[in-house]
Amino acid sequence: MNFRYLKLGLVAFLFAGTTNSCSTGSDPEDIIDDIFTVPATYCLNINNGINDIVMNVNAIVMNNLDTKKDVIDDEVPTGVTPTIYRTGEVIDSVVIDYGSEKTISSLGGKFKGKVVVDPVDEKLQKFEIRLQELEVNNFDVTGAFNFDIVGDLAGRDFSVSSSTIKFSFTDQESNVVPFPVSSFEADYKYIRSEEDDVDYVDDIYNLTSDIDITYPNGALMSLTSQSDLLYAYACKNVIGGTALFTLQDIGEGTVNYGGGDTVDHCDGDASVTSHGGTITISM
């Protein structure tokens, strides 16, 4: 979906009229559609964009920390160049370069720019992820993440946090529309590989996460997992589990990501249910 053409003014109008709308006996699906569709679409897609960024880091970088190569080329999509910079044998940083001339499709998402992964400790357990001129799924993304390997095996369990990430896009009037992420915390736990092989391209993860995003009109929206969510790397989507979407001063809805099947639920669709009505969000 191209977010540059969603109408931001819709929600500001509905914030003022929600109470009256709910008192008229309108169809519940019409009410939930009017109130939640636009902000929920942004929230779920921003959250999905973050998952795409950090899962690519885990897959491409963390699975290759022991390589002696200067350029990682194992299971890396065409057009993506992950380069390792060293002082002697010590890794200084790993740069995932998605290209700068055009937006390219990569592992189910559209990326442009660079992601820089800097080790924070000598044991290669803690990292800082810095974003340089990065574009993800039509959003410009700035800021940095903390990335911690959980346990001894890189490329498996990890946790991520940030309070500096900001998503934004430029609308048709050349205005920059910001979506600052005031808080993001997530734990990712490796479950299995679909083919029981050593490659990461079909890995399945459980994740729990909590994200707070400020909508352009100042309202806070959040998405908190209610159960362990199931993330399929091959789908580049959450394909199972539920989360709670909350819109400040308006209400909340339950997000259902599907039943966890890597074929039937790999489409990137999720439903949001509130007050008897349900809408579908595409990511």
Side-chain angles (χ1 to χ4, degrees), residues 61-248:
V61 177
M62 302 307 162
N63 275 279
N64 289 282
L65 288 176
D66 59 350
T67 184
K68 301 303 180 182
K69 299 178 181 178
D70 292 329
V71 177
I72 299 169
D73 55 11
D74 181 32
E75 301 288 351
V76 176
T78 302
V80 179
T81 306
T83 303
I84 301 177
Y85 295 90
R86 295 183 175 88
T87 299
E89 295 186 357
V90 177
I91 296 176
D92 295 320
S93 64
V94 183
V95 179
I96 304 176
D97 190 345
Y98 291 103
S100 60
E101 297 301 320
K102 63 179 180 179
T103 301
I104 60 175
S105 293
S106 170
L107 304 174
K110 292 183 177 179
F111 293 79
K112 182 170 68 174
K114 296 179 180 180
V115 174
V116 181
V117 182
D118 297 323
V120 174
D121 68 332
E122 294 180 356
K123 295 181 179 180
L124 298 181
Q125 292 289 113
K126 297 180 180 294
F127 301 82
E128 182 184 38
I129 302 172
R130 296 182 287 117
L131 312 180
Q132 294 185 350
E133 298 181 353
L134 187 67
E135 182 179 307
V136 178
N137 300 335
N138 297 317
F139 285 104
D140 296 315
V141 192
T142 60
F145 294 97
N146 298 314
F147 185 109
D148 296 341
I149 295 174
V150 178
D152 298 325
L153 189 59
R156 294 297 177 93
D157 300 353
F158 64 98
S159 64
V160 174
S161 63
S162 178
S163 60
T164 64
I165 296 298
K166 183 170 73 174
F167 282 63
S168 64
F169 67 85
T170 303
D171 66 17
Q172 291 174 298
E173 287 74 42
S174 298
N175 299 310
V176 176
V177 182
F179 291 84
V181 178
S182 55
S183 176
F184 177 81
E185 295 182 354
D187 295 311
Y188 300 78
K189 183 178 180 181
Y190 173 83
I191 300 300
R192 67 181 186 276
S193 176
E194 288 287 86
E195 300 296 333
D196 291 326
D197 56 24
V198 296
D199 295 328
Y200 53 78
V201 292
D202 57 357
D203 284 354
I204 306 293
Y205 277 78
N206 272 154
L207 73 94
T208 57
S209 63
D210 192 349
I211 186 171
D212 294 325
I213 305 168
T214 303
Y215 201 75
N217 68 353
L220 184 68
M221 54 184 180
S222 63
L223 186 68
T224 303
S225 55
Q226 293 178 305
S227 64
D228 285 350
L229 304 179
L230 198 65
Y231 183 98
Y233 190 76
C235 301
K236 291 312 298 283
N237 281 305
V238 176
I239 61 172
T242 62
L244 185 68
F245 171 71
T246 304
L247 191 58
Q248 183 181 6

